[in-house]
Amino acid sequence: MSDRHLPVLRVLGGLLFLGLSTAAWATASTAGVAIVAVGLVTAGTAVATAARLPLPPAARRPWLAAAASLMLTACFQGPVVNATGWWWAVETCALLALLVPTVRRMNGRAGAIACAMVLGAAVAVLPLRIGLHLTPPAAAAEIGVLCLFWSLLAAGAAALGGYLRGQDSRRRRALADQRREQLLEVARDLHDFASHDVMGVVVLVQAARLLAREDPERAVELLPRMEEAGMQALAAMDRTVRTLNAQEDRDREGDAAGSDDASAEPSGRPPRAECAARTRDRQRDLGELPALAARFTRTGTVPARLDVPAGVLEGLPVQVSATGYRIVMESLTNVRRHAPAAVTVRIAARRVPYGGGTALHLTVTDAAEAGARTAERTSPLPERSRGGLGLAGLTDRAEALGGTLTAGPHGTAGWQVAATLPLPDSAAPTSGRHERTAGARHTAPEGTVA
């Protein structure tokens, strides 16, 4: 039951309890004050629990109503009249109605089991209150059959509560898994995008420190490039923060709208199309490859060269294009971090046969001049834990798409990252972004991008 239904449920519950109170005033003299009082207590507790009324702590313990019912059953001495039987039926329905939400919402499995046993026992022995005090008394076999039937009713109510409890637990776990996946996705975005530009700033600062001793004017010329790389990093972090804030708002709205809605989908996941739209909103793809290479050249000390024939990047599926972009960006970040002697980076893309179909083959290769001595940095780069990100995480992404990703030495003094990402039989444009950037791909410069 979602929160928007609570006002209606509370009004109906209040009208029901008002009617029971009127009946209690009319029948107390014939049925007995104790019978009427216990019936009102159990019915009121059931209504308050179902309507989730703000009650004091003592009134939130359903086992108190069950204990009162058990005590009355043990102490009742008759006589049994029509009004007694009527209140007996009310009490039975109230205890069964109380059993379901108690088992479903009770904190702790042990507490739920103990409370269910007390409520179930109160329901199971209710026939004793009537059968033993009829005139003449009912046969023992008849009373036993009634007690067994009432026990089955209690077991059914407890099973329903347990089923709903399991559904709620699965829904909470699914929501927790979804939020964890979203946080990991945001962490990957921060690693892939922000760290790339931050590493550019670090490399430029180290180059400026080295040049400041020999050629201060050239060191000053690096300052605008540092500023550009820093602004790019800030923009990437701003996008990440906006994504986190938007997700937090959506989670808060979802919790307020239907945290206890038993009719909600057990998985607790938003529609797949909505998730895909959110992901596309913050994804970059290979349509931005020329801009990435140009930015890498401007904000670093190593030029990037594009080798991408016209039409190769057109009509790529969204996931393939986004994964390829991340692979190229992470490879360029690693060049800045681990290849200070590199003199050029070549980014190539081809469509190749693969597994009976076609695949996008990407390579990012850095090379140093023959016999080049590895340059020493003015200060060491700090070690960073990967935590499943970087090329390790991108390898998992490539394999999830049915492809491969490898990295290793290339030539005499270089390193190459190669990725093969399968394409569908008919790779048509899947988003407006591909159409917008088609011209940029056709005009991607061969050679150094500046």
Side-chain angles (χ1 to χ4, degrees):
M1 184 68 65
S2 63
D3 289 346
R4 64 180 179 274
H5 296 143
L6 284 181
V8 176
L9 185 61
R10 287 170 178 171
V11 170
L12 294 177
L15 293 175
L16 175 62
F17 191 74
L18 181 61
L20 290 174
S21 301
T22 304
W25 176 78
T27 59
S29 59
T30 55
V33 175
I35 291 288
V36 171
V38 173
L40 279 179
V41 167
T42 55
T45 305
V47 169
T49 301
R52 284 183 279 168
L53 294 175
L55 300 172
R60 298 176 191 170
R61 299 173 184 172
W63 60 266
L64 292 176
S69 178
L70 285 171
M71 186 176 299
L72 179 60
T73 300
C75 300
F76 184 69
Q77 298 297 322
V80 174
V81 295
N82 290 336
T84 305
W86 190 87
W87 280 105
W88 171 74
V90 169
E91 190 174 332
T92 299
C93 294
L95 289 174
L96 290 174
L98 186 59
L99 187 54
V100 175
T102 297
V103 173
R104 180 184 183 184
R105 300 173 187 162
M106 178 70 69
N107 291 331
R109 182 177 298 179
I113 293 175
C115 200
M117 292 179 64
V118 175
L119 285 167
V123 173
V125 300
L126 272 176
L128 297 178
R129 190 185 302 176
I130 299 296
L132 294 178
H133 302 289
L134 290 172
T135 304
E142 294 178 353
I143 296 176
V145 170
L146 284 176
C147 288
L148 177 61
F149 183 72
W150 256 241
S151 299
L152 293 177
L153 290 178
L160 177 59
Y163 171 76
L164 295 176
R165 184 185 183 93
Q167 292 288 90
D168 294 341
S169 178
R170 284 190 288 273
R171 181 174 180 272
R172 286 192 295 269
R173 286 198 299 270
L175 285 173
D177 292 341
Q178 179 192 352
R179 289 170 181 171
R180 183 164 54 250
E181 290 172 5
Q182 290 166 342
L183 288 175
L184 287 174
E185 185 67 23
V186 170
R188 294 186 187 101
D189 286 351
L190 187 62
H191 175 276
D192 293 344
F193 299 142
S195 66
H196 172 79
D197 296 305
V198 170
M199 186 58 64
V201 175
V202 172
V203 171
L204 287 172
V205 168
Q206 292 184 342
R209 289 178 60 186
L210 188 62
L211 289 173
R213 304 170 189 168
E214 303 172 357
D215 193 346
E217 292 184 0
R218 289 186 59 194
V220 172
E221 292 175 358
L222 294 178
L223 293 178
R225 296 160 70 181
M226 295 180 197
E227 180 182 10
E228 180 182 355
M231 295 300 293
Q232 289 287 342
L234 287 175
M237 288 186 282
D238 286 342
R239 284 193 298 270
T240 302
V241 171
R242 284 196 298 269
T243 301
L244 283 172
N245 289 336
Q247 182 58 43
E248 184 178 357
D249 292 341
R250 283 191 294 267
D251 291 343
R252 191 179 296 114
E253 291 173 1
D255 291 341
S259 59
D260 290 322
D261 193 350
S263 63
E265 177 134 3
S267 67
R269 295 181 182 274
R272 186 177 298 274
E274 182 182 351
C275 286
R278 292 182 201 161
T279 302
R280 286 194 297 269
D281 286 343
R282 65 171 184 267
Q283 277 184 344
R284 297 179 182 177
D285 61 23
L286 288 173
E288 300 179 15
L289 189 57
L292 173 64
R295 188 168 65 249
F296 178 84
T297 301
R298 289 195 310 270
T299 60
T301 58
V302 182
R305 302 174 64 88
L306 281 180
D307 181 8
V308 183
V312 169
L313 301 180
E314 291 186 7
L316 296 177
V318 172
Q319 290 299 324
V320 171
S321 188
T323 301
Y325 183 88
R326 288 173 182 265
I327 291 172
V328 173
M329 175 173 277
E330 178 64 19
S331 302
L332 294 177
T333 302
N334 287 340
V335 170
R336 283 177 169 170
R337 181 174 177 79
H338 301 295
V343 295
T344 186
V345 178
R346 177 176 174 269
I347 305 170
R350 297 287 188 275
R351 295 202 182 195
V352 298
Y354 184 80
T358 59
L360 178 68
H361 184 66
L362 290 170
T363 58
V364 181
T365 309
D366 66 84
E369 294 179 354
R373 182 176 61 88
T374 300
E376 294 183 0
R377 297 188 184 276
T378 57
S379 61
L381 293 174
E383 291 297 327
R384 296 158 51 215
S385 65
R386 310 302 288 181
L389 302 175
L391 288 180
L394 291 172
T395 300
D396 294 338
R397 288 188 176 221
E399 292 175 352
L401 294 175
T404 60
L405 189 150
T406 59
H410 180 77
T412 57
W415 190 269
Q416 183 179 82
V417 175
T420 304
L421 305 176
L423 300 175
D425 294 336
S426 176
T430 54
S431 69
R433 173 178 294 179
H434 292 287
E435 297 172 1
R436 290 196 308 271
T437 57
R441 293 185 185 117
H442 280 297
T443 59
E446 299 289 343
T448 301
V449 180

